[in-house]
Amino acid sequence: MQEQVQEVLTKLRPFLLRDGGDVELVDVDDDGIVLIRLMGACGNCPSSTITLKAGIERALRSEVPGVTEIEQVF
């Protein structure tokens, strides 16, 4: 599952880079919880929660079977 998550993040990365940010995959646990770190402008952006939940989580849940939740690591 970790490789599939990384592939989806690679597809999303150009959109984050365009706004001065990036994303790093920290871990995927056995319960399907994906831990990510938003970096650059995305790390402290007031809209980071929307980016995380409405963007990244939606993409991962639709493209990677078994993903249940996304959590941000600081």
Side-chain angles (χ1 to χ4, degrees):
M1 184 185 316
Q2 190 151 354
E3 288 178 17
Q4 291 174 301
V5 168
Q6 190 63 54
E7 287 177 20
V8 173
L9 294 178
T10 298
K11 290 183 204 175
L12 298 174
R13 185 166 279 116
F15 300 103
L16 298 171
L17 290 171
R18 184 178 59 207
D19 290 331
D22 202 355
V23 62
E24 173 189 13
L25 176 60
V26 176
D27 194 19
V28 179
D29 73 11
D30 294 334
D31 295 324
I33 299 173
V34 178
L35 303 176
I36 64 168
R37 181 175 293 118
L38 293 174
M39 301 181 304
C42 291
N44 56 14
C45 173
S47 299
S48 64
T49 302
I50 295 169
T51 299
L52 186 70
K53 293 293 181 179
I56 297 172
E57 184 173 58
R58 181 183 299 163
L60 287 173
R61 290 180 84 178
S62 70
E63 293 190 39
V64 182
V67 169
T68 57
E69 187 179 353
I70 308 298
E71 292 184 6
Q72 184 174 359
V73 176
F74 296 95

